[in-house]
Coordinates of all heavy atoms in Angstrom, one line a residue:
L11 N 22.7 -50.4 -61.0 CA 22.8 -49.2 -61.7 C 24.0 -48.4 -61.3 O 24.8 -48.0 -62.1 CB 21.5 -48.4 -61.5 CG 21.3 -47.1 -62.3 CD1 19.9 -46.9 -62.6 CD2 21.9 -45.9 -61.6
L15 N 27.5 -47.3 -63.3 CA 28.1 -46.0 -63.3 C 29.5 -46.0 -62.8 O 30.3 -45.2 -63.4 CB 27.2 -45.1 -62.5 CG 25.7 -44.8 -62.9 CD1 25.0 -44.0 -61.9 CD2 25.7 -44.2 -64.3
P20 N 28.0 -47.4 -70.3 CA 26.7 -46.7 -70.5 C 25.6 -47.5 -69.8 O 25.6 -48.7 -69.8 CB 26.5 -46.8 -72.0 CG 27.8 -47.2 -72.6 CD 28.6 -47.9 -71.5
V21 N 24.8 -46.8 -69.1 CA 23.7 -47.5 -68.3 C 22.4 -47.0 -68.9 O 22.1 -45.9 -69.1 CB 23.8 -47.0 -66.8 CG1 22.6 -47.6 -66.0 CG2 25.1 -47.5 -66.2
I22 N 21.5 -48.1 -69.2 CA 20.2 -47.9 -69.7 C 19.3 -48.4 -68.5 O 19.4 -49.5 -68.1 CB 19.9 -48.6 -71.0 CG1 20.8 -48.1 -72.1 CG2 18.5 -48.5 -71.4 CD1 20.9 -48.9 -73.3
S23 N 18.3 -47.6 -68.1 CA 17.4 -48.0 -67.0 C 16.1 -47.4 -67.1 O 15.8 -46.4 -67.8 CB 18.1 -47.5 -65.6 OG 18.0 -46.2 -65.5
T24 N 15.2 -47.9 -66.3 CA 13.9 -47.2 -66.1 C 14.1 -46.0 -65.2 O 15.2 -45.9 -64.5 CB 12.8 -48.2 -65.6 OG1 13.3 -48.7 -64.3 CG2 12.5 -49.2 -66.5
N25 N 13.1 -45.2 -65.0 CA 13.3 -44.0 -64.2 C 13.0 -44.2 -62.7 O 11.9 -43.8 -62.2 CB 12.4 -42.9 -64.8 CG 12.8 -41.5 -64.3 OD1 14.0 -41.3 -64.0 ND2 11.9 -40.6 -64.3
V26 N 13.9 -44.9 -62.1 CA 13.7 -45.3 -60.6 C 15.0 -45.0 -59.9 O 16.1 -45.0 -60.5 CB 13.2 -46.7 -60.4 CG1 11.9 -47.0 -61.0 CG2 14.3 -47.7 -61.0
G27 N 14.9 -44.9 -58.6 CA 16.1 -44.9 -57.8 C 17.1 -43.7 -58.2 O 16.6 -42.6 -58.3
V28 N 18.3 -44.1 -58.3 CA 19.4 -43.1 -58.6 C 19.1 -42.4 -60.0 O 19.3 -41.2 -60.1 CB 20.8 -43.7 -58.6 CG1 21.8 -42.8 -59.1 CG2 21.1 -44.2 -57.2
A29 N 18.5 -43.1 -60.9 CA 18.2 -42.5 -62.2 C 17.1 -41.4 -62.1 O 17.3 -40.4 -62.7 CB 17.8 -43.6 -63.2
K30 N 16.2 -41.7 -61.3 CA 15.1 -40.7 -61.1 C 15.5 -39.5 -60.3 O 15.2 -38.4 -60.6 CB 13.9 -41.4 -60.3 CG 12.7 -40.5 -60.2 CD 11.6 -41.3 -59.6 CE 10.3 -40.4 -59.6 NZ 9.1 -41.2 -59.1
L35 N 22.1 -39.2 -65.7 CA 23.2 -40.1 -65.5 C 23.0 -41.4 -66.4 O 24.0 -42.1 -66.7 CB 23.2 -40.6 -64.0 CG 23.5 -39.5 -63.0 CD1 23.5 -40.2 -61.6 CD2 24.9 -38.9 -63.2
T36 N 21.8 -41.7 -66.7 CA 21.5 -42.9 -67.5 C 20.6 -42.5 -68.7 O 20.0 -41.4 -68.8 CB 20.8 -44.0 -66.7 OG1 19.4 -43.5 -66.5 CG2 21.5 -44.3 -65.4
R37 N 20.5 -43.4 -69.7 CA 19.6 -43.3 -70.7 C 18.3 -44.0 -70.2 O 18.3 -45.1 -69.9 CB 20.0 -43.9 -72.0 CG 19.0 -43.7 -73.2 CD 19.5 -44.1 -74.5 NE 20.6 -43.4 -75.0 CZ 20.5 -42.2 -75.6 NH1 19.3 -41.6 -75.8 NH2 21.6 -41.6 -76.1
V38 N 17.2 -43.2 -70.1 CA 16.0 -43.8 -69.4 C 15.0 -44.3 -70.5 O 14.9 -43.7 -71.5 CB 15.4 -42.6 -68.6 CG1 14.0 -43.1 -68.0 CG2 16.3 -42.2 -67.5
V39 N 14.5 -45.5 -70.2 CA 13.4 -46.0 -71.0 C 12.2 -46.0 -70.1 O 12.2 -46.2 -68.9 CB 13.7 -47.4 -71.5 CG1 14.9 -47.5 -72.4 CG2 14.0 -48.4 -70.3
V40 N 11.0 -45.9 -70.8 CA 9.7 -45.9 -70.1 C 9.4 -47.3 -69.5 O 9.0 -47.4 -68.4 CB 8.6 -45.4 -71.0 CG1 7.3 -45.5 -70.3 CG2 8.9 -44.0 -71.5
E41 N 9.7 -48.3 -70.3 CA 9.4 -49.7 -69.9 C 10.6 -50.5 -70.3 O 11.2 -50.3 -71.4 CB 8.1 -50.2 -70.3 CG 7.9 -50.2 -71.8 CD 6.5 -50.6 -72.3 OE1 6.0 -51.5 -71.6 OE2 6.1 -50.2 -73.3
A42 N 10.9 -51.6 -69.5 CA 12.1 -52.4 -69.8 C 11.7 -53.6 -70.7 O 11.8 -54.7 -70.3 CB 12.7 -52.9 -68.5
L47 N 14.5 -51.5 -74.9 CA 16.0 -51.5 -74.6 C 16.8 -51.5 -75.9 O 17.9 -50.9 -75.9 CB 16.3 -52.8 -73.8 CG 15.6 -52.8 -72.4 CD1 15.8 -54.1 -71.7 CD2 16.2 -51.7 -71.5
A50 N 17.0 -48.0 -77.1 CA 17.9 -47.2 -76.2 C 19.4 -47.5 -76.5 O 20.2 -46.6 -76.6 CB 17.6 -47.4 -74.8
D54 N 22.1 -44.9 -77.8 CA 23.4 -44.7 -77.2 C 24.6 -44.8 -78.3 O 25.5 -44.1 -78.2 CB 23.7 -45.7 -76.2 CG 23.4 -45.2 -74.7 OD1 22.9 -44.0 -74.6 OD2 23.7 -45.9 -73.7

Side-chain angles (χ1 to χ4, degrees):
L11 185 150
L15 296 173
V21 176
I22 298 170
S23 70
T24 56
N25 197 26
V26 297
V28 171
K30 184 175 184 177
L35 297 182
T36 70
R37 182 172 295 278
V38 175
V39 294
V40 176
E41 56 183 329
L47 293 172
D54 260 7

